[in-house]
Amino acid sequence: MGSRASTLLREEEIEEIKKETGFSHSQITRLYSRFTSLDKGENGTLSREDFQRIPELAINPLGDRIINAFFPEGEDQVNFRGFMRTLAHFRPIEDNEKNKDPTASEPLNSRSNKLLFAFRLYDLDRDDKISRDELLQVLRMMVGVNISDEQLGSIADRTIQEADQNGDNSISFNEFIKVLEKVDVEQKMSIRFLH
Amino acid sequence: MRTMGGFSQMKLAVNFLTIGLVILSLPCGSYTEIPPKPPGSLTVLPPVKPAGGPQAFPDAENSNLPAFTMDYARIQVPFEVTLWVLLASFAKIGFHVYHKITFWVPESCLLISIGLIVGAIMHSVHEEPPAVLSYNVFFLFMLPPHRTGVWILYAPRDRSSRTWEPVLWFAVVGTLWNSIGIGMSLYAVCQIEAFEVQDINLQENMLFAAIISAVDPVAVLSVFEDVSVNEQLYIVVFGECLFNDAVTVVLYNMFIFVADMPVVEPVDVFLGVARFFVVGLGGMGFGVIFGFVASFTTRFTSNVREIEPLFIFMYSYLAYLVAELFSISSIMAIVTCALTMKYYVEENVSQRSCTTIRHVVKMLGTISETLIFFFLGVVTITTEHEWNWGYIMFTLLLALVWRGLGVLVLTQIINPFRTIPFNFKDQFILGYGGLRGAISFALVFTLPDSIGRKKLFVTTTICMIMFTVFIQGISIRPLIEFINVRRTNRNLETINVEIHSRLIEHTIAGVEDLCGQWSHYYWKDKFLKFNNRILRKIPIRDNRAESSIVALYKKLELQNAMGILDTVSGDINAGSSIVPLHEEKKSSGKPKRKFVAADLMNMHDILSKNMYKIRQRTTAYTTKHSLPNDSRTKEILIRRHTSIRRSLGPGSFNGPNEAKSQKYFSLPPGKSLDSKFPPQRLRHTGNDDDETMSEMDYPSARSRFNQPSRSSSRAMLPLRRLNTLTEVPSSSVVDLVDERSGGRGAWGRGMSRLNSSSSDSRIPAPRRHHDPSNGPDNGSSGDHGSGDNGPEGEQQPLSPTPAWAAEPGDRDDSGTQKPLLRPQWKTRKP
């Protein structure tokens, strides 16, 4: 399976992906074989259904949000490039990456990009604000049904109160960053991708 | 604030007064008793009766019935022990009256200081150190509770953390590195004539180095905990605490053997290496065996709940003693024994016993730790010393250097394998945190007298301990603050952090699953499978392949419940910086503090969130087998998918109360689960017993219990039932149980009920039955799991477990059942 997959991926493509995402060669081929095994239509792209077929993702409370994050707005398919681009957010930050020249464009796995990824999971309508409703939706997904709506509502209110600085009753991305500034996001949002 | 401070200072003074009184009473007491061997002091005692004769009355030849008798010799030993323990405990109270002391000065320093004072007093009255300090006593009675205590007291919060790999690396290899390095270079130092220590040969130096390299950073751990350094660092130091004294003891035994030999031949070196493995692995083996036997025993203790904890303690202790008997690593034995038991026993014993066990271990651990440092102080004064500037200074220096080097080299080797490598600051703190403690102290005193420079060794070791505990121990906190070591925000102060972190964790779990990242946990996975299939059958009473998630969940519930108890009852330890139960620092602990008692409900929110988290993490571990790579399985999945969706379709729009429902699972308005399934919900909340509930709601399900054969249930696979199953998302059942039982304070009962109901419905047996018969019977489903409960999906409504169960034993269903949940998710897809 793996060997078949790697033959399908052209060297130059790998190089491009490598440049764009920072994954290593072996990581890319490995993920490519995963990609093809998920790709039931065998057309080189993944649909939402392909993702939803992953059983663990199906029971992940945020499964659909995560899946959504892989799809650019308005699209129903994601190709390998896009797939890798999304995964690149979760690459751990390596030490030698930290002090690269600041002029280069920010890598996908930077702290703020990681945070932005998380932020987007809340922000469904992409207005760069987490409204109370959006927060409530995510909360509801995460806590299950035993908590009453009032309780959850008050939690959401409190959450927004805590984070909200400009009084618009929603959390902007800047406020989001501020709230999480003490959290070790670099570590928390990193996966050690297999080689 | 000032008045408060003054007040506590006053209290402190009072406490010291108390301690002082005890101290005073102690030498007086022991004055009469220690010298019972010299006959002089015996005259103090009434010579009326022979020692040991408790009957004062029947002494007929006495002219008068004595109105007052005193037989101190009889009670001497227990009396002294009690006094010492009391004294140490008083000291502990004293420290915690005034918090700032323990904040800046580690408790071990304070204890040693008090020990020094007591030692000085005893020395001035020419008192021998108490017999309590015999070294057998230390190894047989004080060390075991101390070591197990460390495990309970300081166990890291995040068990599923991915940072466990380096622990053994640092503990084992690091200790070897240290002792060999220090030993060799000390030998080189000994060659310098100016120091007049040429008579110390290589073997003795190695022996001494082994003693010296036992790092025992309990004090550092408590500092780490206070300043909440990052988890990695904590776990590594914690692991060092646990394991490296085992390594040291092994080395010590080896070298003490070698030190006696006049000539060391190459064969002996090999034998030594072999012995190293025998001792270490043997200890672990004994631990596992005893742990397993203990677990097996608790299978039968359901009627004698009172003595359940006793079994646990006795078996652990037995493991320790037996390991001592064969002079293999007894510390290793007791730690592994505790670990093994923890794995199985908690499911057998009652909640109350669990609590008892925890508290007793905690208590014993604390008190033995206290005593050890206390005695360290006393003994420092009361033993004879041999001071040698050169040797002592070089030992201190070399120990620091080799430790530093070791950390550097070892992290270089291990860093490439880590998600987050140790950076330089981590390494520095790791190196600096190499405090020496109880083990070195005890080992050096057990040195045989045949070693010529024993006194020098004792002195050097004590210097070493003093130096590290006082200088490094006190300075490490400011240092951590100063160089700003990476911290884990253990104290989740805001709800935002709590929520967002959870979101991130879910995401990570999801993405890991998505990438099929399972092989990382391959062996763990394998073991869990084996464990569930075979091992668990023996010790666990209810012989069911319980999903590890439920087990974890139960455990978590228990811990949380105990956390609440502890805080509510104002446990004295809860305030102490040094002895938090690890469950108290769970994330739920913080909101608790913030919301105080009034918001107990909010804690339940957090509990349930924890629950989700655990499921996810465990899923991430064990996904290997459930990857539906088999094409036929996939077909089935898809088909089931569509059929469920179809069946769900019409039912989903008839809810009368759509208005309030929009938040459930974040369904878009009009598609809420709540509106779809109001009856079940109400029933759930109204009903007291889950078992009956499931029977009432799903009568047909009952039949499954008696029918391992699946054909009948397959026959009754109506579309309608499919509809029902999606109606109660399994997680909601669990949540309900959790909430209700939590509310009533009956965690345990709720859990066990949940458990039993789930276990009933789980029945692993039928599945196994099918395995062979499945192929012919159910041609379309290649995967037996999906053939079993997939198409019918009957287990779904009954049991909360399956949907959670992604652990290996049940991986087959998990793979196929989860899609059953899909409809809910689908509908809320924007």
PDB file of all heavy atoms in Angstrom, chain B residues 304-324:
ATOM      1  N   VAL B 304     -16.151  -8.868  52.534  1.00  0.00           N
ATOM      2  CA  VAL B 304     -15.364  -8.409  53.686  1.00  0.00           C
ATOM      3  C   VAL B 304     -14.724  -7.074  53.346  1.00  0.00           C
ATOM      4  O   VAL B 304     -13.514  -6.920  53.370  1.00  0.00           O
ATOM      5  CB  VAL B 304     -14.279  -9.419  54.088  1.00  0.00           C
ATOM      6  CG1 VAL B 304     -14.886 -10.524  54.900  1.00  0.00           C
ATOM      7  CG2 VAL B 304     -13.596  -9.993  52.860  1.00  0.00           C
ATOM      8  N   ARG B 305     -15.556  -6.145  53.032  1.00  0.00           N
ATOM      9  CA  ARG B 305     -15.065  -4.845  52.599  1.00  0.00           C
ATOM     10  C   ARG B 305     -14.123  -4.209  53.603  1.00  0.00           C
ATOM     11  O   ARG B 305     -13.244  -3.438  53.235  1.00  0.00           O
ATOM     12  CB  ARG B 305     -16.254  -3.893  52.383  1.00  0.00           C
ATOM     13  CG  ARG B 305     -17.129  -4.265  51.201  1.00  0.00           C
ATOM     14  CD  ARG B 305     -16.460  -3.874  49.908  1.00  0.00           C
ATOM     15  NE  ARG B 305     -17.361  -3.992  48.785  1.00  0.00           N
ATOM     16  CZ  ARG B 305     -16.960  -4.285  47.545  1.00  0.00           C
ATOM     17  NH1 ARG B 305     -15.693  -4.504  47.303  1.00  0.00           N
ATOM     18  NH2 ARG B 305     -17.813  -4.344  46.564  1.00  0.00           N
ATOM     19  N   GLU B 306     -14.320  -4.510  54.882  1.00  0.00           N
ATOM     20  CA  GLU B 306     -13.546  -3.806  55.908  1.00  0.00           C
ATOM     21  C   GLU B 306     -12.062  -4.050  55.738  1.00  0.00           C
ATOM     22  O   GLU B 306     -11.245  -3.192  56.047  1.00  0.00           O
ATOM     23  CB  GLU B 306     -13.935  -4.256  57.315  1.00  0.00           C
ATOM     24  CG  GLU B 306     -15.414  -4.347  57.590  1.00  0.00           C
ATOM     25  CD  GLU B 306     -15.967  -5.677  57.116  1.00  0.00           C
ATOM     26  OE1 GLU B 306     -15.660  -6.719  57.684  1.00  0.00           O
ATOM     27  OE2 GLU B 306     -16.731  -5.641  56.133  1.00  0.00           O
ATOM     28  N   ILE B 307     -11.709  -5.255  55.309  1.00  0.00           N
ATOM     29  CA  ILE B 307     -10.279  -5.554  55.277  1.00  0.00           C
ATOM     30  C   ILE B 307      -9.696  -5.471  53.875  1.00  0.00           C
ATOM     31  O   ILE B 307      -8.563  -5.846  53.646  1.00  0.00           O
ATOM     32  CB  ILE B 307      -9.980  -6.932  55.894  1.00  0.00           C
ATOM     33  CG1 ILE B 307     -10.810  -7.995  55.199  1.00  0.00           C
ATOM     34  CG2 ILE B 307     -10.217  -6.943  57.380  1.00  0.00           C
ATOM     35  CD1 ILE B 307     -10.347  -9.381  55.526  1.00  0.00           C
ATOM     36  N   GLU B 308     -10.461  -4.986  52.974  1.00  0.00           N
ATOM     37  CA  GLU B 308      -9.942  -4.864  51.609  1.00  0.00           C
ATOM     38  C   GLU B 308      -8.628  -4.097  51.547  1.00  0.00           C
ATOM     39  O   GLU B 308      -7.661  -4.573  50.960  1.00  0.00           O
ATOM     40  CB  GLU B 308     -10.976  -4.184  50.714  1.00  0.00           C
ATOM     41  CG  GLU B 308     -11.645  -5.127  49.768  1.00  0.00           C
ATOM     42  CD  GLU B 308     -12.799  -4.476  49.049  1.00  0.00           C
ATOM     43  OE1 GLU B 308     -12.989  -3.256  49.176  1.00  0.00           O
ATOM     44  OE2 GLU B 308     -13.502  -5.179  48.344  1.00  0.00           O
ATOM     45  N   PRO B 309      -8.604  -2.915  52.169  1.00  0.00           N
ATOM     46  CA  PRO B 309      -7.346  -2.167  52.084  1.00  0.00           C
ATOM     47  C   PRO B 309      -6.178  -2.946  52.658  1.00  0.00           C
ATOM     48  O   PRO B 309      -5.058  -2.867  52.165  1.00  0.00           O
ATOM     49  CB  PRO B 309      -7.615  -0.915  52.913  1.00  0.00           C
ATOM     50  CG  PRO B 309      -9.074  -0.788  52.949  1.00  0.00           C
ATOM     51  CD  PRO B 309      -9.612  -2.169  52.918  1.00  0.00           C
ATOM     52  N   LEU B 310      -6.485  -3.726  53.670  1.00  0.00           N
ATOM     53  CA  LEU B 310      -5.432  -4.493  54.311  1.00  0.00           C
ATOM     54  C   LEU B 310      -4.753  -5.413  53.306  1.00  0.00           C
ATOM     55  O   LEU B 310      -3.529  -5.528  53.279  1.00  0.00           O
ATOM     56  CB  LEU B 310      -6.039  -5.314  55.440  1.00  0.00           C
ATOM     57  CG  LEU B 310      -5.040  -5.757  56.482  1.00  0.00           C
ATOM     58  CD1 LEU B 310      -4.486  -4.551  57.186  1.00  0.00           C
ATOM     59  CD2 LEU B 310      -5.692  -6.701  57.457  1.00  0.00           C
ATOM     60  N   PHE B 311      -5.552  -6.054  52.482  1.00  0.00           N
ATOM     61  CA  PHE B 311      -4.976  -6.937  51.481  1.00  0.00           C
ATOM     62  C   PHE B 311      -3.987  -6.187  50.614  1.00  0.00           C
ATOM     63  O   PHE B 311      -2.887  -6.658  50.345  1.00  0.00           O
ATOM     64  CB  PHE B 311      -6.077  -7.527  50.601  1.00  0.00           C
ATOM     65  CG  PHE B 311      -6.767  -8.687  51.214  1.00  0.00           C
ATOM     66  CD1 PHE B 311      -8.087  -8.595  51.610  1.00  0.00           C
ATOM     67  CD2 PHE B 311      -6.090  -9.880  51.396  1.00  0.00           C
ATOM     68  CE1 PHE B 311      -8.723  -9.672  52.182  1.00  0.00           C
ATOM     69  CE2 PHE B 311      -6.728 -10.956  51.960  1.00  0.00           C
ATOM     70  CZ  PHE B 311      -8.055 -10.847  52.366  1.00  0.00           C
ATOM     71  N   ILE B 312      -4.427  -5.030  50.229  1.00  0.00           N
ATOM     72  CA  ILE B 312      -3.568  -4.257  49.332  1.00  0.00           C
ATOM     73  C   ILE B 312      -2.232  -3.964  49.997  1.00  0.00           C
ATOM     74  O   ILE B 312      -1.168  -4.210  49.435  1.00  0.00           O
ATOM     75  CB  ILE B 312      -4.246  -2.919  48.968  1.00  0.00           C
ATOM     76  CG1 ILE B 312      -5.658  -3.154  48.476  1.00  0.00           C
ATOM     77  CG2 ILE B 312      -3.441  -2.159  47.956  1.00  0.00           C
ATOM     78  CD1 ILE B 312      -5.738  -3.996  47.265  1.00  0.00           C
ATOM     79  N   PHE B 313      -2.325  -3.493  51.234  1.00  0.00           N
ATOM     80  CA  PHE B 313      -1.082  -3.123  51.905  1.00  0.00           C
ATOM     81  C   PHE B 313      -0.213  -4.339  52.165  1.00  0.00           C
ATOM     82  O   PHE B 313       0.996  -4.311  51.967  1.00  0.00           O
ATOM     83  CB  PHE B 313      -1.389  -2.413  53.226  1.00  0.00           C
ATOM     84  CG  PHE B 313      -2.043  -1.095  53.021  1.00  0.00           C
ATOM     85  CD1 PHE B 313      -3.233  -0.791  53.637  1.00  0.00           C
ATOM     86  CD2 PHE B 313      -1.471  -0.161  52.189  1.00  0.00           C
ATOM     87  CE1 PHE B 313      -3.844   0.422  53.424  1.00  0.00           C
ATOM     88  CE2 PHE B 313      -2.066   1.052  51.970  1.00  0.00           C
ATOM     89  CZ  PHE B 313      -3.259   1.338  52.592  1.00  0.00           C
ATOM     90  N   MET B 314      -0.855  -5.387  52.612  1.00  0.00           N
ATOM     91  CA  MET B 314      -0.063  -6.547  52.963  1.00  0.00           C
ATOM     92  C   MET B 314       0.630  -7.137  51.736  1.00  0.00           C
ATOM     93  O   MET B 314       1.785  -7.528  51.799  1.00  0.00           O
ATOM     94  CB  MET B 314      -0.958  -7.604  53.619  1.00  0.00           C
ATOM     95  CG  MET B 314      -1.431  -7.207  54.996  1.00  0.00           C
ATOM     96  SD  MET B 314      -0.059  -6.865  56.108  1.00  0.00           S
ATOM     97  CE  MET B 314      -0.314  -5.175  56.516  1.00  0.00           C
ATOM     98  N   TYR B 315      -0.075  -7.175  50.653  1.00  0.00           N
ATOM     99  CA  TYR B 315       0.553  -7.736  49.462  1.00  0.00           C
ATOM    100  C   TYR B 315       1.709  -6.867  48.977  1.00  0.00           C
ATOM    101  O   TYR B 315       2.757  -7.381  48.606  1.00  0.00           O
ATOM    102  CB  TYR B 315      -0.465  -7.913  48.345  1.00  0.00           C
ATOM    103  CG  TYR B 315      -1.154  -9.246  48.385  1.00  0.00           C
ATOM    104  CD1 TYR B 315      -2.503  -9.344  48.677  1.00  0.00           C
ATOM    105  CD2 TYR B 315      -0.434 -10.409  48.142  1.00  0.00           C
ATOM    106  CE1 TYR B 315      -3.130 -10.575  48.725  1.00  0.00           C
ATOM    107  CE2 TYR B 315      -1.055 -11.637  48.180  1.00  0.00           C
ATOM    108  CZ  TYR B 315      -2.414 -11.716  48.474  1.00  0.00           C
ATOM    109  OH  TYR B 315      -3.017 -12.924  48.526  1.00  0.00           O
ATOM    110  N   SER B 316       1.503  -5.570  49.025  1.00  0.00           N
ATOM    111  CA  SER B 316       2.606  -4.710  48.585  1.00  0.00           C
ATOM    112  C   SER B 316       3.809  -4.916  49.483  1.00  0.00           C
ATOM    113  O   SER B 316       4.943  -5.047  49.018  1.00  0.00           O
ATOM    114  CB  SER B 316       2.226  -3.231  48.636  1.00  0.00           C
ATOM    115  OG  SER B 316       0.913  -3.043  48.294  1.00  0.00           O
ATOM    116  N   TYR B 317       3.519  -4.972  50.751  1.00  0.00           N
ATOM    117  CA  TYR B 317       4.616  -5.103  51.699  1.00  0.00           C
ATOM    118  C   TYR B 317       5.295  -6.447  51.539  1.00  0.00           C
ATOM    119  O   TYR B 317       6.521  -6.565  51.621  1.00  0.00           O
ATOM    120  CB  TYR B 317       4.079  -4.914  53.111  1.00  0.00           C
ATOM    121  CG  TYR B 317       5.161  -4.659  54.118  1.00  0.00           C
ATOM    122  CD1 TYR B 317       6.137  -3.702  53.849  1.00  0.00           C
ATOM    123  CD2 TYR B 317       5.224  -5.366  55.298  1.00  0.00           C
ATOM    124  CE1 TYR B 317       7.149  -3.470  54.750  1.00  0.00           C
ATOM    125  CE2 TYR B 317       6.229  -5.138  56.209  1.00  0.00           C
ATOM    126  CZ  TYR B 317       7.191  -4.194  55.930  1.00  0.00           C
ATOM    127  OH  TYR B 317       8.191  -3.963  56.813  1.00  0.00           O
ATOM    128  N   LEU B 318       4.472  -7.441  51.299  1.00  0.00           N
ATOM    129  CA  LEU B 318       5.015  -8.767  51.073  1.00  0.00           C
ATOM    130  C   LEU B 318       5.945  -8.759  49.873  1.00  0.00           C
ATOM    131  O   LEU B 318       7.030  -9.352  49.905  1.00  0.00           O
ATOM    132  CB  LEU B 318       3.860  -9.740  50.830  1.00  0.00           C
ATOM    133  CG  LEU B 318       4.095 -11.170  51.258  1.00  0.00           C
ATOM    134  CD1 LEU B 318       4.419 -11.220  52.729  1.00  0.00           C
ATOM    135  CD2 LEU B 318       2.866 -11.993  50.958  1.00  0.00           C
ATOM    136  N   ALA B 319       5.509  -8.096  48.841  1.00  0.00           N
ATOM    137  CA  ALA B 319       6.352  -8.011  47.650  1.00  0.00           C
ATOM    138  C   ALA B 319       7.689  -7.393  48.020  1.00  0.00           C
ATOM    139  O   ALA B 319       8.751  -7.876  47.613  1.00  0.00           O
ATOM    140  CB  ALA B 319       5.664  -7.173  46.579  1.00  0.00           C
ATOM    141  N   TYR B 320       7.614  -6.359  48.823  1.00  0.00           N
ATOM    142  CA  TYR B 320       8.836  -5.679  49.229  1.00  0.00           C
ATOM    143  C   TYR B 320       9.741  -6.617  50.016  1.00  0.00           C
ATOM    144  O   TYR B 320      10.928  -6.751  49.738  1.00  0.00           O
ATOM    145  CB  TYR B 320       8.455  -4.461  50.073  1.00  0.00           C
ATOM    146  CG  TYR B 320       9.609  -3.577  50.417  1.00  0.00           C
ATOM    147  CD1 TYR B 320       9.983  -2.558  49.560  1.00  0.00           C
ATOM    148  CD2 TYR B 320      10.320  -3.754  51.596  1.00  0.00           C
ATOM    149  CE1 TYR B 320      11.038  -1.738  49.860  1.00  0.00           C
ATOM    150  CE2 TYR B 320      11.384  -2.939  51.902  1.00  0.00           C
ATOM    151  CZ  TYR B 320      11.738  -1.927  51.036  1.00  0.00           C
ATOM    152  OH  TYR B 320      12.785  -1.117  51.333  1.00  0.00           O
ATOM    153  N   LEU B 321       9.137  -7.299  50.982  1.00  0.00           N
ATOM    154  CA  LEU B 321       9.938  -8.161  51.852  1.00  0.00           C
ATOM    155  C   LEU B 321      10.537  -9.320  51.081  1.00  0.00           C
ATOM    156  O   LEU B 321      11.708  -9.666  51.274  1.00  0.00           O
ATOM    157  CB  LEU B 321       9.085  -8.671  53.004  1.00  0.00           C
ATOM    158  CG  LEU B 321       8.674  -7.612  54.016  1.00  0.00           C
ATOM    159  CD1 LEU B 321       7.871  -8.245  55.133  1.00  0.00           C
ATOM    160  CD2 LEU B 321       9.901  -6.915  54.582  1.00  0.00           C
ATOM    161  N   VAL B 322       9.733  -9.910  50.231  1.00  0.00           N
ATOM    162  CA  VAL B 322      10.251 -11.050  49.480  1.00  0.00           C
ATOM    163  C   VAL B 322      11.390 -10.612  48.578  1.00  0.00           C
ATOM    164  O   VAL B 322      12.409 -11.300  48.455  1.00  0.00           O
ATOM    165  CB  VAL B 322       9.122 -11.715  48.677  1.00  0.00           C
ATOM    166  CG1 VAL B 322       9.686 -12.749  47.733  1.00  0.00           C
ATOM    167  CG2 VAL B 322       8.130 -12.348  49.603  1.00  0.00           C
ATOM    168  N   ALA B 323      11.219  -9.449  47.996  1.00  0.00           N
ATOM    169  CA  ALA B 323      12.294  -8.949  47.149  1.00  0.00           C
ATOM    170  C   ALA B 323      13.548  -8.712  47.976  1.00  0.00           C
ATOM    171  O   ALA B 323      14.657  -9.034  47.547  1.00  0.00           O
ATOM    172  CB  ALA B 323      11.865  -7.654  46.465  1.00  0.00           C
ATOM    173  N   GLU B 324      13.362  -8.210  49.193  1.00  0.00           N
ATOM    174  CA  GLU B 324      14.511  -8.030  50.082  1.00  0.00           C
ATOM    175  C   GLU B 324      15.156  -9.373  50.392  1.00  0.00           C
ATOM    176  O   GLU B 324      16.376  -9.489  50.447  1.00  0.00           O
ATOM    177  CB  GLU B 324      14.067  -7.370  51.399  1.00  0.00           C
ATOM    178  CG  GLU B 324      13.923  -5.875  51.332  1.00  0.00           C
ATOM    179  CD  GLU B 324      15.260  -5.161  51.388  1.00  0.00           C
ATOM    180  OE1 GLU B 324      15.969  -5.309  52.397  1.00  0.00           O
ATOM    181  OE2 GLU B 324      15.592  -4.465  50.418  1.00  0.00           O
TER     182      GLU B 324
END
